[in-house]
């Protein structure tokens, strides 16, 4: 399958943080979720991909092209991020009219369709929108030209459950039409509904980049009533308290120390995996 975006050994050093050897690929017509706790490096990675921060080293290829072909690449990429305050007091209809001049592939019908879908009033000024509505506006900007790749930073943050479901359905429809989507999120249930692959960043490094099912299949969750034994603690990737005792995240195939009476071993979902891996060993 065609590689739309290829990241190889991306590095960026700050005084108190470092991205180290970030590598993953996004394929045509696929949806990839970028996950990790706050400060893990998700937003920095997306900004580096879009050339909003200059990486120290590494390779970023869009359809095999480097960013020096920036004009051509940006025509094919839709980018949306929170916290953008440009034209803060202008009506969003005017912002749309200004933005469309930069995109030969802009489609007015698509813009109107998304304005209606997201219940956005073109006469409203940006500062008048709620945080959730601002997200919808940025998505309208990104989706109104024929982008082949969408790069979205926390697009579902601040949306109510119904709006989130609508957005995920849009993502899946776009993917069916061949559009590729890379989006960061803290809402792991969204990934289980729509993502084909997951890239997990922890402390500036890629912990894993796999198809969503394969990622979850690597792990098991063991529920223990009471305290863990020494052997169980040493086998656990992370341990958290529960009402009944403790839960431990373990790799599939390493359940041996937990095969005891009263221990329940079950598949692990993305939220449990992330929570336990960030907690670490006790």
């Amino acid at each position: 399958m065609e590689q739309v975006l290829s990241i190889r050994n991306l590095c960026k050093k700050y005084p108190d943080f470092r991205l180290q050897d970030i590598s993953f690929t996004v394929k045509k017509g696929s949806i990839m979720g970028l996950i990790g706790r706050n400060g893990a490096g998700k937003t920095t990675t997306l900004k580096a991909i879009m050339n909003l921060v200059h990486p120290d080293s590494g390779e970023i290829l869009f359809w095999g092209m480097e960013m020096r072909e920036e004009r051509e690449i940006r025509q094919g990429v839709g980018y949306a991020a929170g916290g953008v305050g440009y034209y803060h007091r202008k009506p969003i209809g005017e912002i749309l009219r200004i933005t469309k001049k930069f995109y030969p592939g802009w489609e007015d019908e698509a813009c109107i369709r998304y304005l209606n879908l997201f219940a956005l009033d073109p006469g409203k000024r940006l500062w008048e929108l709620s945080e959730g509505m601002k997200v919808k506006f940025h998505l309208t900007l990104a989706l109104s030209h024929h982008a082949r790749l969408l790069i979205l930073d926390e697009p579902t943050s601040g949306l109510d459950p119904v709006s989130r479901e609508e957005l995920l359905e849009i993502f899946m429809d776009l993917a069916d039409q061949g559009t590729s989507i890379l989006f960061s999120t803290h809402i792991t249930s969204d990934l289980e509904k729509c993502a084909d692959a997951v890239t997990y960043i922890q402390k500036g490094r890629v912990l894993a980049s796999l198809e969503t099912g394969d990622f979850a299949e690597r792990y098991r969750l063991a529920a223990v009533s009471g305290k863990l034994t020494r052997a169980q603690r040493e086998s656990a990737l992370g341990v958290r308290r529960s009402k009944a005792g403790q839960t431990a995240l373990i790799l599939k195939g390493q359940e041996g120390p937990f095969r005891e009476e009263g221990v329940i071993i079950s598949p692990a979902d993305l939220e449990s995996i992330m929570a336990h891996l960030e907690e670490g060993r006790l």
Side-chain angles (χ1 to χ4, degrees), residues 209-245:
S209 185
L210 295 164
E211 291 186 6
T212 307
D214 292 340
F215 182 80
E217 184 61 20
R218 297 176 72 184
Y219 302 99
R220 293 292 182 268
L221 205 60
V224 180
S225 58
K227 295 183 178 180
L228 275 66
T229 66
R230 179 176 179 179
Q232 289 171 342
R233 289 198 304 272
E234 291 175 349
S235 297
L237 300 173
V239 180
R240 296 189 68 87
R241 292 179 60 185
S242 68
K243 285 186 177 181

Side-chain angles (χ1 to χ4, degrees), residues 10 15 29 53 63 69 72 77 98 106 108 112 120 138 151 166 171 174 179 190 194 198 201 203 233 262 269:
L10 181 67
V53 299
W63 302 283
E69 306 290 342
E72 183 177 351
V77 177
I98 294 170
W106 184 277
D108 285 333
I112 294 170
L120 285 164
H138 292 309
I151 297 177
E166 291 175 346
F171 284 178
L174 289 167
T179 301
D190 288 350
C194 75
V198 173
I201 296 182
K203 298 179 181 178
R233 289 198 304 272
D269 58 22

Side-chain angles (χ1 to χ4, degrees), residues 170-181:
I170 291 171
F171 284 178
M172 290 185 282
D173 288 341
L174 289 167
D176 288 342
Q177 298 166 25
T179 301
S180 306
I181 301 172

